[in-house]
Amino acid sequence: MRILHIISDSNIGGAGRHLLTLFEACNWENFKMEVVLPMGSQLIPLLKDVNYYELPHINEKSFSLKGLIEITKLIQELGPDIVHTHASFAGRIAGRLSGCHVVYTRHSVFEPSEKSTKFPLKQLIGSANNFFSDGIIAVSPAAKEILLKTGVRESKIKVIYNGVAPTKIFPLEERAKTRQKYNIPFQSPFVISQIARLEDVKGHNYTLDAAKIWANRHPDIFVIIAGTGPMQPILEKRIKNENINNVLLAGFVKDIDKLLNITNVQINASYGTEATSLSLLEGMSLGIPAVVSDFGGNPFVITHKKTGLIFPQKDAKALADTVTMLKNDENLTQEIVQNAQLEYKERFRDDLMAREIESVYKNVKGRRFIL
């Protein structure tokens, strides 16, 4: 079965990493995966033995008329069995116009406007999504809830959590080298990592506020923020002007697995877009305790006091207090370590995700289009 993925993101965000994982874990004997992406996409160097097609006019755009024309031409030339889009509404339209089955994955959780959840806009949005998709994958129940609010039929939606490959475990010598790389100023540090694109809704400002509290309570705490994005100059300025010396902005980190190997606690302070964080899942595979906000998909990944701890979003003091509680309670920490690893194996493995997505393809291909 030939599957043509369409992604409009030019950077390597959650959708891009999701695709890379799917390509690694899919059954290549039964499925041929290809991908359409913007010109010069950062994903291109990471694609291994996967056919890709660079198109103009689709960069960061869910819809444009020129993009629709380009995608339609390509689909009609390639003749895939299924077009699988990742935010690209133009891709869904092109797939339907070309007579293909269409699957759409919702990767994020944006709270819809009040107008979009009421007549007549709800009916218009819902009808468009229902008509231009044979099946819709939501990567979290929180994403499904947003789709339902905007008129998508429940029978169209299947929740399939993101999955990740297990994170590699490095020996102690390699971990020591990683600590040296990040210039961690302690012999036995307590490392907190936040791995997320530097956008306002990811809550990095609250992390900085919490770090100032930790500096007074626990001088051995060191915070590493991995990622790039538009908030970088703002965060750099705060760190400099407020003398926040226990935080390092590490920029883009290629070897996330090495960073996770020296992490004592992983935090997620999001208050927007978060569905099922891939970084959290990678940490869970190692049993790293997570402290996460109560926004979006986080509570569907982390169970409070079982696989991690949850704090109220946009509350820096609560974040600081929650991490402190975990740091001071070794029994709770060990319980979370064991439970997190078990939860990962049962729910968030890459092969589990791939098999479920493949089942959607088979189901969609085997039935006629129903509005």
Side-chain angles (χ1 to χ4, degrees):
M1 193 183 302
R2 192 174 188 181
I3 314 297
L4 182 65
H5 293 268
I6 302 175
I7 182 169
S8 57
D9 296 344
S10 59
N11 63 347
I12 307 174
R17 293 178 63 200
H18 168 93
L19 267 184
L20 293 173
T21 301
L22 177 60
F23 293 156
E24 288 286 339
C26 77
N27 183 346
W28 283 93
E29 292 185 2
N30 296 328
F31 299 92
K32 179 182 180 181
M33 302 278 188
E34 301 174 294
V35 59
V36 175
L37 31 65
M39 304 289 290
S41 169
Q42 294 178 12
L43 276 178
I44 292 173
L46 302 178
L47 295 171
K48 299 176 181 178
D49 301 321
V50 177
N51 289 337
Y52 65 87
Y53 307 91
E54 297 178 79
L55 290 184
H57 313 303
I58 67 170
N59 185 5
E60 312 300 340
K61 295 178 181 178
S62 180
F63 178 83
S64 75
L65 184 57
K66 290 183 178 179
L68 173 61
I69 293 171
E70 294 288 343
I71 296 171
T72 302
K73 287 180 181 178
L74 182 64
I75 291 174
Q76 292 177 351
E77 177 185 335
L78 298 176
D81 296 291
I82 292 175
V83 171
H84 186 163
T85 73
H86 305 267
S88 175
F89 186 52
R92 278 172 267 164
I93 297 174
R96 179 64 74 226
L97 292 176
S98 303
C100 297
H101 292 284
V102 179
V103 173
Y104 157 49
T105 292
R106 175 69 178 243
H107 291 278
S108 60
V109 178
F110 291 100
E111 189 62 32
S113 67
E114 186 176 355
K115 289 183 178 180
S116 66
T117 63
K118 295 181 178 180
F119 180 85
L121 195 54
K122 175 180 178 179
Q123 283 67 28
L124 290 172
I125 295 172
S127 295
N129 279 318
N130 290 327
F131 182 81
F132 291 110
S133 302
D134 296 296
I136 299 175
I137 296 171
V139 300
S140 167
K144 177 182 177 179
E145 182 180 345
I146 299 301
L147 291 167
L148 292 174
K149 284 182 179 180
T150 53
V152 176
R153 289 174 52 198
E154 186 167 12
S155 60
K156 290 270 186 179
I157 307 169
K158 181 176 177 61
V159 174
I160 301 178
Y161 288 101
N162 285 331
V164 297
T167 300
K168 182 180 178 180
I169 300 175
F170 290 92
L172 293 177
E173 292 181 1
E174 190 67 35
R175 298 184 199 186
K177 292 180 181 178
T178 303
R179 282 190 285 270
Q180 287 180 339
K181 173 184 176 181
Y182 292 115
N183 296 315
I184 298 176
F186 307 111
Q187 291 295 324
S188 300
F190 188 90
V191 176
I192 297 172
S193 67
Q194 182 175 7
I195 304 168
R197 183 163 167 76
L198 303 186
E199 297 179 356
D200 187 45
V201 294
K202 295 297 185 179
H204 294 95
N205 273 314
Y206 297 101
T207 301
L208 296 189
D209 291 339
K212 294 166 71 173
I213 298 173
W214 292 324
N216 294 323
R217 293 181 181 175
H218 300 285
D220 61 334
I221 283 182
F222 192 74
V223 183
I224 299 177
I225 295 176
T228 59
M231 283 291 291
Q232 184 165 336
I234 297 171
L235 299 175
E236 288 175 343
K237 185 176 180 180
R238 276 202 64 189
I239 290 171
K240 180 180 179 180
N241 292 346
E242 299 174 33
N243 295 316
I244 308 175
N245 298 318
N246 58 344
V247 176
L248 171 68
L249 293 183
F252 175 75
V253 176
K254 182 178 179 181
D255 300 321
I256 288 294
D257 51 356
K258 291 184 178 181
L259 173 56
L260 288 172
N261 266 254
I262 65 167
T263 296
N264 296 93
V265 170
Q266 186 177 5
I267 63 174
N268 181 305
S270 291
Y271 59 89
T273 79
E274 206 68 60
T276 301
S277 166
L278 296 171
S279 298
L280 282 183
L281 306 186
E282 290 167 341
M284 289 177 73
S285 75
L286 291 177
I288 298 172
V291 174
V292 305
S293 69
D294 58 2
F295 177 82
N298 283 343
F300 297 101
V301 175
I302 299 299
T303 303
H304 189 59
K305 291 190 175 180
K306 180 182 178 183
T307 58
L309 296 176
I310 299 174
F311 70 94
Q313 59 187 284
K314 299 184 179 182
D315 191 333
K317 184 178 184 303
L319 169 57
D321 290 344
T322 305
V323 170
T324 298
M325 180 179 70
L326 188 60
K327 187 177 188 297
N328 292 337
D329 193 333
E330 182 62 27
N331 290 332
L332 176 60
T333 296
Q334 290 306 312
E335 183 178 347
I336 287 174
V337 167
Q338 295 175 11
N339 288 335
Q341 289 178 309
L342 180 61
E343 190 86 348
Y344 161 76
K345 292 177 181 177
E346 292 182 347
R347 297 178 61 203
F348 300 121
R349 300 198 320 266
D350 55 343
D351 59 316
L352 294 178
M353 177 192 74
R355 300 296 84 77
E356 287 201 71
I357 292 174
E358 290 166 2
S359 72
V360 170
Y361 295 153
K362 293 175 183 177
N363 183 270
V364 166
K365 186 70 169 59
R367 69 173 188 261
R368 297 180 62 187
F369 166 65
I370 301 175
L371 176 60

